Amino acid sequence: MLTHHRKPVCLSLISTDLPIWSVVETAGTLYQKDPDRFHLLLTAPPLISCEVESVLSPEETLSQSKSKPYAPSSPRILWLEISPYRVIMTMQGNAQVSYRHFWEQGVYGISRYWLPTESLQPNDPIRLRNFTTSLTLNGHPLPEHLRLEYELWAEKVQLGSYILNLEIKH
């Protein structure tokens, strides 16, 4: 029962206690795997990175520091596996930060981050835990709105509370 639909999507991530806010508006392809299981594939706009060159003197640090912004050539692919019970989100591409989050209401899920490396050796992921306090999926027969509320943890230190909001326009 694999059907797909191309839809406008708005994905936002907001921290309720830190100055973090991100919104991506793009087109996504929604694949229906089963009556209540979906995959959403979308291409996120590239992150703009900066390479900072050396500064000539300490006095010129604020006024003349040179930087070269650049956009990576390959796209970032976001893949969400969505059901009323759990959500898995994977981001990969463009040799920058990649991650994979697993959320399930009332469960400590795993968040893994892979950072780019200059060497040819594979790098181990940074592992964090997330505790999902709320997972709400609305829309029938196709999902229209997903809201995830969760806390991010490193051992016994809370790294903030977050709301992930996904709107799929039909």
Side-chain angles (χ1 to χ4, degrees):
M1 175 186 213
L2 182 63
T3 59
H4 70 278
H5 311 272
R6 190 86 172 142
K7 303 287 182 186
V9 173
C10 180
L11 178 67
S12 64
L13 177 69
I14 301 165
S15 174
T16 60
D17 49 8
L18 296 169
I20 297 172
W21 176 65
S22 178
V23 176
V24 173
E25 291 187 23
T26 187
T29 305
L30 183 65
Y31 296 91
Q32 185 170 5
K33 303 292 281 185
D34 290 319
D36 65 345
R37 285 184 43 222
F38 301 89
H39 289 195
L40 178 64
L41 187 64
L42 53 104
T43 303
L47 291 173
I48 303 297
S49 299
C50 290
E51 287 181 4
V52 178
E53 295 178 356
S54 63
V55 178
L56 298 176
S57 68
E59 300 84 45
E60 299 174 17
T61 300
L62 294 176
S63 63
Q64 293 184 6
S65 90
K66 297 180 182 178
S67 64
K68 289 191 231 177
Y70 68 92
S73 58
S74 62
R76 295 184 309 142
I77 304 297
L78 280 170
W79 174 28
L80 287 96
E81 301 171 52
I82 303 168
S83 81
Y85 316 104
R86 74 181 55 91
V87 175
I88 299 171
M89 182 169 69
T90 305
M91 194 281 289
Q92 61 189 29
N94 76 15
Q96 289 190 343
V97 174
S98 296
Y99 53 79
R100 185 171 177 95
H101 298 280
F102 173 87
W103 295 285
E104 187 172 342
Q105 186 162 335
V107 172
Y108 277 99
I110 298 292
S111 292
R112 294 184 191 106
Y113 298 86
W114 290 268
L115 302 176
T117 170
E118 300 297 323
S119 71
L120 296 176
Q121 296 177 339
N123 54 343
D124 292 330
I126 297 171
R127 293 171 156 262
L128 301 174
R129 293 179 304 138
N130 60 63
F131 183 77
T132 307
T133 56
S134 175
L135 188 158
T136 307
L137 180 63
N138 297 322
H140 186 75
L142 299 175
E144 296 174 7
H145 184 250
L146 169 71
R147 182 181 172 101
L148 272 168
E149 297 180 25
Y150 67 98
E151 301 167 350
L152 194 59
W153 292 82
E155 296 293 327
K156 295 181 181 181
V157 177
Q158 185 181 3
L159 302 175
S161 297
Y162 300 88
I163 299 171
L164 180 102
N165 196 51
L166 173 68
E167 294 179 32
I168 303 170
K169 297 173 179 97
H170 297 285

